[in-house]
Amino acid sequence: MGQVTDLDTFSALLAPEGQELLTALRDHDPADDLTVATRLRRSHPAPLVSAALGQARLRQRAAAKFGDDARRMYFTPNGVEQSTRATVAAHRAARLAALGVRTLADLCSGIGGDALALARAGISVLAVDRDPLACAAARANAEALGLADRIEVRCADVTEVDTAGYDAVFVDPARRSGVRGGRIFDPEAYSPPLSWAVDAARTAPHAALKIAPGVPHEALPDDAETEWISDGGDVKEAVVWFGPGTRPGGRRATLLPGGATLLGAALPDPEPGPVGHYLYEPDGAVIRAHLVADVAQQIGGRLIDPTIAYITADALTPTPYATAYEITDVLPFNVKKLRALLRERGVGIAEIKKRGSAVSPEELRKKLRLEGVNSCTIILTRVAGKPSMLLGSPVRA
């Protein structure tokens, strides 16, 4: 089934007949597309049925990012892929509101996901994008969620928009290219380039630039603070912050949904040492922000290897920035010995983690042939440069 590719078809979805179809398809199973399409085409135009089915599928995909709002929103394929997760957008909007921002220019706004979060935080938004279909979706989303009075959508080239007079600028450059939407890793290949976004940010009282979390640290501007954000343990994005209330050159890790945030102190890496009774796996945002040393200092820990982002300690110190494991065994890597040990202990359920190991967890699981009712965590890594196996279990909060 096709997707909406033109404004006329999108407008038809907003009309009563299109709304009727979208309501009918709210809970449909995509596996039944052919049967449903055949039935609906008896009483509705085929292009409209195809567009409604495509929109219904996009809404189902978008539910992971937008929750229940997705059932009322409108999407393009790129809009689903590139939109900010609602929890992350709400965090950023709350931070902007706390800085005193009341008006903001949202450049490269897409289908309006960030604009919606900003408007809900009490900020009046000018949402700008050059894609007419994305702009139409953004207007429809503002209307559908009752936020049209706080969001103005303008279809234009963001490089030609005057942002003077706004309290803040937010830029979310496109980071995908080509027909298949491959990711772009070079910040200067963003659309618009990161250098343009930085220049635009420096003209505003406050600014935030959304970038890929894997951005090289050397590409970050010295006069801005960069925040890496994870949600549920998955690193979602990095945000470059300019203006009062931020620390130039600062590196921050924020963990959602709890909201714990760590602003680094540029500490040197701790000296490595032997594996203690506990192993800590830092959150991905902490690792991306290069704040492993800060967490190690907080818990009185050390690294297990100079090149591995695992922290170890002899005592348990709770921290929101890392997952703790109680370690029972530290062994040289050997599949046969591991299989025999697990069989002896009746381990049939194992979580296999790796960092700094070339071994595939899937292949190892096949070789272990686990049987039994007990469980454990197997961590494949390096200890003091040597391939090792750590056995243990997660520390329950």
Side-chain angles (χ1 to χ4, degrees), residues 62-74:
K65 287 186 174 182
F66 293 95
D68 289 341
D69 282 345
R71 297 165 69 91
R72 295 180 288 162
M73 292 175 65
Y74 298 86

Side-chain angles (χ1 to χ4, degrees), residues 26-63:
R26 177 166 292 177
D27 298 311
H28 98 291
D29 184 346
D32 297 331
D33 271 3
L34 185 58
T35 301
V36 172
T38 301
R39 173 174 55 81
L40 292 177
R41 283 171 179 168
R42 295 171 187 154
S43 53
H44 301 281
L48 183 59
V49 170
S50 180
L53 281 166
Q55 191 61 218
R57 287 200 307 275
L58 290 176
R59 285 177 167 181
Q60 291 177 354
R61 286 173 52 196

Side-chain angles (χ1 to χ4, degrees), residues 97-141:
L99 290 170
V101 171
R102 295 296 175 264
T103 61
L104 178 144
D106 178 3
L107 308 181
C108 308
S109 56
I111 56 96
D114 280 286
L116 296 171
L118 291 161
R120 281 173 167 164
I123 298 172
S124 296
V125 183
L126 170 65
V128 183
D129 202 283
R130 66 182 178 183
D131 181 354
L133 191 56
C135 289
R139 291 190 188 95
N141 288 333

